[in-house]
Amino acid sequence: MEPFIIFGLGNPGREYEHTRHNIGFIAIDKLSIAWNVDITRVRYKSLIGEGKFGENKVILVKPLTFMNRSGNAVSSFMQFYKIDAARILIIHDDMDLPFGSLRIRADGGSAGQRGMQSIISRIGTNEFARMRVGIGRPPGRMDPVDYVLKKFTEKDQLGLDLVLDSIVRAIETLLTDGIEKAMTLYNHSVLNDE
């Protein structure tokens, strides 16, 4: 069976660790713990780990190309593994969703997210699964760039833990029962429903 490749978008480097923009990297780290997958190899300018969830061969990927060039890594993996876009999932941050919300879709546009724009441009289709993870809007007049590059606060941490647990369950549902079931169960605000 073809592998299912899960890409978490973010920026490499210590200064970006645990920032809102790096929620994709944080989610991949959570999946690696849940599924006991070591993410230690470098391939196609990405940190990767290979493992299994149930009957599914999974590859967890953190592109090291910086967010705006994520398409370079995604296209390289698709070409190497000769897989269809239906076998990938992209996890990324979304300022237009409240903190704690998840939105899973089977296809769609970039919603202005530059990493997603890069992927759609490089692979030539928007027909791939994506999970938008809400980080909320910046407070007051804070610059959006400054906001997404701020680290999650200690106050955010409890909510973030709940979000990450839901991300893992949603992806496990997607792999075992399909994207429609995952959308039905997890397209909501994790924090309001707990």
Side-chain angles (χ1 to χ4, degrees):
M1 178 183 275
E2 288 182 329
F4 194 88
I5 307 181
I6 303 170
F7 296 87
L9 303 191
N11 287 316
R14 190 161 297 234
E15 67 270 34
Y16 299 109
E17 285 179 3
H18 211 64
T19 62
R20 290 173 173 86
H21 211 31
N22 271 31
I23 193 69
F25 278 16
I26 297 167
I28 291 292
D29 289 340
K30 183 72 174 183
L31 288 166
S32 76
I33 294 166
W35 299 345
N36 197 26
V37 175
D38 288 330
I39 304 176
T40 53
R41 292 179 35 221
V42 177
R43 177 179 280 173
Y44 303 122
K45 297 181 182 174
S46 302
L47 268 175
I48 76 161
E50 298 183 26
K52 288 192 83 171
F53 173 73
E55 298 300 310
N56 294 279
K57 179 181 178 184
V58 293
I59 301 172
L60 304 179
V61 182
K62 296 198 287 189
L64 302 177
T65 54
F66 285 91
M67 179 75 75
N68 297 352
R69 294 193 179 104
S70 299
N72 296 345
V74 175
S75 63
S76 294
F77 277 90
M78 288 180 68
Q79 289 169 12
F80 179 81
Y81 288 99
K82 297 177 173 48
I83 61 164
D84 188 76
R87 299 294 297 172
I88 68 172
L89 169 70
I90 310 295
I91 307 170
H92 68 90
D93 65 301
D94 192 318
M95 271 197 312
D96 291 328
L97 291 175
F99 177 58
S101 295
L102 300 180
R103 291 292 180 276
I104 305 161
R105 291 190 57 188
D107 57 23
S110 68
Q113 214 276 0
R114 290 185 177 156
M116 291 295 283
Q117 289 172 347
S118 171
I119 293 166
I120 292 168
S121 172
R122 283 302 306 268
I123 70 174
T125 183
N126 65 0
E127 295 182 2
F128 55 85
R130 74 279 315 274
M131 175 185 283
R132 295 160 47 211
V133 182
I135 60 169
R137 302 292 305 173
R141 295 175 181 257
M142 180 184 283
D143 184 298
V145 172
D146 292 337
Y147 177 71
V148 299
L149 297 179
K150 279 183 72 75
K151 294 186 183 296
F152 285 104
T153 65
E154 283 186 30
K155 183 181 170 196
D156 293 331
Q157 193 59 52
L158 179 59
L160 183 61
D161 290 341
L162 294 172
V163 170
L164 292 170
D165 288 342
S166 286
I167 288 171
V168 171
R169 292 194 308 268
I171 294 172
E172 290 176 349
T173 300
L174 186 154
L175 290 171
T176 55
D177 299 317
I179 194 164
E180 294 293 334
K181 183 75 174 277
M183 289 166 60
T184 300
L185 293 178
Y186 293 97
N187 278 359
H188 60 76
S189 174
V190 173
L191 303 184
N192 292 341
D193 296 348
E194 290 291 322

